[in-house]
């Protein structure tokens, strides 16, 4: 894993945007896995700015979102459909037919999940998967005890996750109990994974994921098995890591050709 610690979430998000931009520019048909939540909001702002000011072209981008709540209409303000169109897709030149977000209204959920996996494969696999982190260590909606080999499927949200997201639903009682999420196995097949985490409330989950054992009880720890996982943090999210000095030393001594 490459652990990059930036002074704040603004600087980290700018760096994340440069990583995404590089992949979009390099690949003839970049396949990008997008995430939702507060964490990637500044990244998406930067991508919109790069599109407007630097001509970053999304017309070849194929998008696959990580997850979606079960039972929400796409125009529900807390749905990930709504979030993605509001914060990114409506503001760049992505082709609507290239946007894939799990359909939480699918009638046959297992068949739909299998189809989602096939669509990722047919697009050539994910070049990059952007990830946030739940306070319980989840990625996507792969809650603790998720199989490290899991594929896209329905998951039941933990009490903690429903509490964390209650603010978007005007109260915990309105938060759905289920979501469709790419599996950990699906995520690990992305050619690059970029996990971002900001703030003190993510510090413990980061310490467990980065320096703890690989365990399904901390789903993000599965990234230790990934050949190209970038963990991008602000100082607060890095505050419970034991080897901060080492990670910073490595970053400062990156060979010139590896720098972003
Ligand atoms: C939800 C999403 C995750 C996201 C997490 C953290 O549970 N399914 O993909 O990473 O929230 O959200 P935030 O970035 O708002 O802390």
């Amino acid at each position: 894993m490459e652990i990059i610690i930036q002074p704040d979430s603004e600087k980290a998000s700018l760096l994340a945007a440069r990583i995404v931009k590089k992949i979009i520019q390099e690949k003839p048909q970049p396949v990008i896995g997008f995430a939702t939540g507060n964490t990637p909001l500044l990244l998406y702002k930067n991508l919109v700015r790069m599109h407007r000011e630097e001509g970053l072209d999304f017309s070849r981008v194929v998008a696959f979102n990580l997850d979606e709540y079960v039972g929400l209409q796409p125009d529900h303000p807390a749905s990930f459909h709504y979030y993605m169109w509001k914060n990114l897709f409506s503001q760049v030149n992505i082709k609507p037919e290239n946007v894939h977000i799990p359909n939480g209204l699918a009638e046959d959920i297992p068949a739909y999940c299998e189809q989602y996996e096939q669509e990722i494969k047919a697009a050539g696999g994910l070049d990059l998967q952007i990830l946030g982190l739940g306070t319980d260590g989840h990625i996507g909606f792969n809650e603790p005890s998720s199989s490290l080999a899991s594929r896209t499927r329905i998951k039941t949200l933990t009490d903690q996750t429903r509490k964390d997201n209650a603010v978007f639903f005007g109260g915990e009682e309105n938060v759905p109990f289920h979501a469709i999420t790419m599996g950990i196995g699906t995520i690990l097949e992305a050619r690059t994974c970029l996990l971002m985490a900001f703030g003190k409330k993510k510090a413990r989950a980061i310490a467990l994921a980065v320096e703890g054992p690989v365990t399904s009880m901390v789903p993000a720890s599965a990234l230790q098995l990934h050949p190209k996982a970038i963990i991008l943090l602000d100082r607060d999210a890095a505050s419970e890591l034991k080897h901060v000095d080492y990670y910073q030393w490595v970053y400062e001594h990156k060979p010139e050709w590896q720098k972003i």
Side-chain angles (χ1 to χ4, degrees), residues 217-254:
M217 295 314 289
V218 183
S221 69
L223 293 173
Q224 294 179 30
L225 300 168
H226 193 281
K228 194 155 188 232
I230 303 168
I231 313 292
L232 187 47
L233 310 171
D234 68 359
R235 279 206 191 104
D236 284 342
S239 60
E240 291 189 33
L241 287 170
K242 289 198 187 85
H243 302 284
V244 168
D245 291 349
Y246 172 63
Y247 307 136
Q248 278 174 338
W249 195 87
V250 170
Y251 187 64
E252 280 157 23
H253 292 84
K254 258 170 106 100

Side-chain angles (χ1 to χ4, degrees), residues 34-41 66-69 80 83 130-136 138-143 157 161 164-165 168 179-181 195-198 201-202:
F34 289 96
T36 51
N38 287 318
T39 309
L41 279 174
L66 261 180
D67 48 10
E68 178 60 289
Y69 293 104
F80 294 161
Y83 171 108
I130 298 162
L131 296 163
L133 179 69
T135 56
D136 61 1
H138 74 224
I139 45 176
F141 269 133
N142 293 285
E143 298 285 30
L157 306 181
T161 297
D164 287 348
N165 288 292
F168 303 110
I180 292 175
T181 181
L195 180 138
M196 295 187 291
F198 307 140
K201 68 174 197 236
K202 302 291 171 75

Side-chain angles (χ1 to χ4, degrees), residues 5-206:
I5 302 162
Q6 294 286 295
D8 52 50
S9 57
E10 280 80 17
K11 290 203 173 65
S13 300
L14 183 59
L15 191 60
R18 287 210 226 111
I19 293 170
V20 179
K21 180 181 178 184
K22 192 162 182 271
I23 289 176
I24 292 179
Q25 287 177 331
E26 276 174 7
K27 304 271 172 180
Q29 188 195 259
V31 183
I32 313 276
F34 289 96
T36 51
N38 287 318
T39 309
L41 279 174
L42 268 179
L43 158 64
Y44 297 155
K45 274 211 170 92
N46 275 297
L47 290 176
V48 170
R49 182 186 52 73
M50 286 170 169
H51 169 67
R52 289 190 184 144
E53 294 172 9
E54 299 166 23
L56 181 60
D57 180 16
F58 283 76
S59 65
R60 294 168 293 105
V61 172
V62 179
F64 284 93
N65 257 75
L66 261 180
D67 48 10
E68 178 60 289
Y69 293 104
V70 168
L72 288 196
Q73 295 295 331
D75 61 354
H76 188 293
S79 79
F80 294 161
H81 277 77
Y82 186 90
Y83 171 108
M84 286 310 302
W85 282 98
K86 175 168 179 251
N87 294 305
L88 183 64
F89 296 151
S90 67
Q91 301 189 59
V92 296
N93 63 333
I94 195 163
K95 294 184 177 141
E97 64 269 29
N98 285 347
V99 171
H100 306 81
I101 304 174
N103 177 9
L105 299 172
E107 268 183 29
D108 182 344
I109 290 182
Y112 175 76
C113 292
E114 175 56 31
Q115 182 196 320
Y116 201 71
E117 288 278 333
Q118 291 309 324
E119 283 171 353
I120 295 173
K121 246 188 219 125
L126 297 160
D127 290 306
L128 171 71
Q129 178 60 58
I130 298 162
L131 296 163
L133 179 69
T135 56
D136 61 1
H138 74 224
I139 45 176
F141 269 133
N142 293 285
E143 298 285 30
S145 82
S146 288
S147 160
L148 301 187
S150 51
R151 313 301 307 188
T152 303
R153 69 215 183 291
I154 188 168
K155 283 297 290 180
T156 304
L157 306 181
T158 61
D159 190 41
Q160 180 63 49
T161 297
R162 292 185 65 250
K163 282 195 170 80
D164 287 348
N165 288 292
V167 57
F168 303 110
F169 289 88
E172 201 184 324
E173 64 281 7
N174 303 321
V175 183
F177 283 88
H178 299 103
I180 292 175
T181 181
M182 281 187 203
I184 297 176
T186 321
I187 292 167
L188 291 180
E189 280 173 14
R191 286 180 269 280
T192 299
C193 284
L194 171 62
L195 180 138
M196 295 187 291
F198 307 140
K200 279 243 183 269
K201 68 174 197 236
K202 302 291 171 75
R204 188 169 155 70
I206 279 294

